[in-house]
Amino acid sequence: MVAGLDPKELIELALLLTAVGALSGFLAGVFGIGGGAILVPVFYECFRLAGVPLEVRMPLGVRAAHAMSKRALEMAFGAYMFIVGGRFVISLL
């Protein structure tokens, strides 16, 4: 047993995650959006149905964001967007 799951449960979980990932990737491609826009709500519901507590489903990032000042949060988001934009430009070259 791994993490309290028997092999049958692990196989079911692997198949579920594979199906969810494939469907989410397909939908993201059809709608022309990032996979995260599909996966985040899907995983949230999967974890809710599996009985994962709300405190775990709501990521630690929420707590960190509330602990940061508004300016620090703006700077962190700006840096993230700069990195994403830079990677996009590099991929075009």
Side-chain angles (χ1 to χ4, degrees):
M1 277 193 193
V2 176
L5 296 174
D6 66 15
K8 182 181 176 188
E9 289 175 327
L10 287 175
I11 291 171
E12 290 174 1
L13 179 61
L15 291 174
L16 174 67
L17 291 177
T18 301
V20 166
L23 180 62
S24 298
F26 175 76
L27 290 175
V30 168
F31 294 127
I33 59 176
I38 302 275
L39 283 174
V40 169
V42 168
F43 282 150
Y44 183 85
E45 285 302 311
C46 286
F47 290 140
R48 182 185 65 81
L49 293 172
V52 176
L54 179 64
E55 293 80 20
V56 175
R57 286 184 278 149
M58 300 307 284
L60 295 176
V62 172
R63 184 175 294 166
H66 284 278
M68 295 171 71
S69 70
K70 180 182 180 202
R71 180 71 178 150
L73 192 57
E74 289 172 346
M75 293 298 289
F77 183 73
Y80 173 75
M81 294 307 296
F82 183 75
I83 291 168
V84 170
R87 289 185 62 184
F88 179 71
V89 169
I90 289 171
S91 72
L92 291 176
L93 302 176

